Amino acid sequence: MMRPGFQFSTRFKVRYAEIDGQKIVFNSRYLEYADHAVSEFWEWSGMDALGRDWTEAEFNVRHTEIDYFKPFSYGDEIEAFVRIPRVGGTSLTQRFELCHARTGDLHCVIEMVIVHVDLEAGRPKPIEGAVRAALERLVAGEPALA
């Protein structure tokens, strides 16, 4: 199933170790789900074809907002949708919608801003060149590389 505005999704199941005494997923696990989903997203995007400009780029999480609508339970299959809605001068926004894979119900929305950083200087670094062009294509709903 696809959601409007998204071209990518990945599926995985809730494991026993991810639930609490109420038999629902611990709140902190939703960020792990986002991390898993975005790892799959970047592989799908083809950005690695940009070589070192992308593979050696460093991004740090700057801000995260999480809206919990309905908890997941043990054994639920999650379909995680990922997109890049915005690229700024030194940052980009990632949007995650975590849905029940069988019912399609939206359980959680995560918006995460990550900043491109110069690790030596410890400062934000502009997103430029081929990396910027590829990210802007993803924002427009096109393949990252033409």
Side-chain angles (χ1 to χ4, degrees), residues 55-130:
T55 60
E56 294 182 8
E58 294 291 338
F59 286 87
N60 293 168
V61 174
R62 170 64 176 92
H63 179 81
T64 302
E65 289 185 20
I66 304 173
D67 284 323
Y68 300 101
F69 301 112
K70 185 176 181 180
F72 286 109
S73 301
Y74 173 69
D76 283 347
E77 187 173 10
I78 298 169
E79 186 161 13
F81 296 87
V82 183
R83 69 183 169 102
I84 307 299
R86 180 187 166 280
V87 176
T90 61
S91 67
L92 61 94
T93 302
Q94 302 171 124
R95 182 176 176 92
F96 305 87
E97 294 188 7
L98 305 180
C99 299
H100 194 286
R102 187 176 46 79
T103 66
D105 290 348
L106 178 63
H107 284 235
C108 181
V109 173
I110 301 169
E111 291 263 342
M112 185 179 296
V113 176
I114 60 174
V115 177
H116 186 225
V117 295
D118 178 330
L119 290 179
E120 288 182 26
R123 308 247 337 126
K125 179 179 176 179
I127 301 170
E128 301 175 323

Side-chain angles (χ1 to χ4, degrees), residues 4 7 13 27 31 36 46 53 75 90 123 127-128 142:
Q7 295 180 318
K13 280 192 169 188
N27 291 345
L31 289 175
H36 171 78
D53 287 344
T90 61
R123 308 247 337 126
I127 301 170
E128 301 175 323
E142 301 168 6

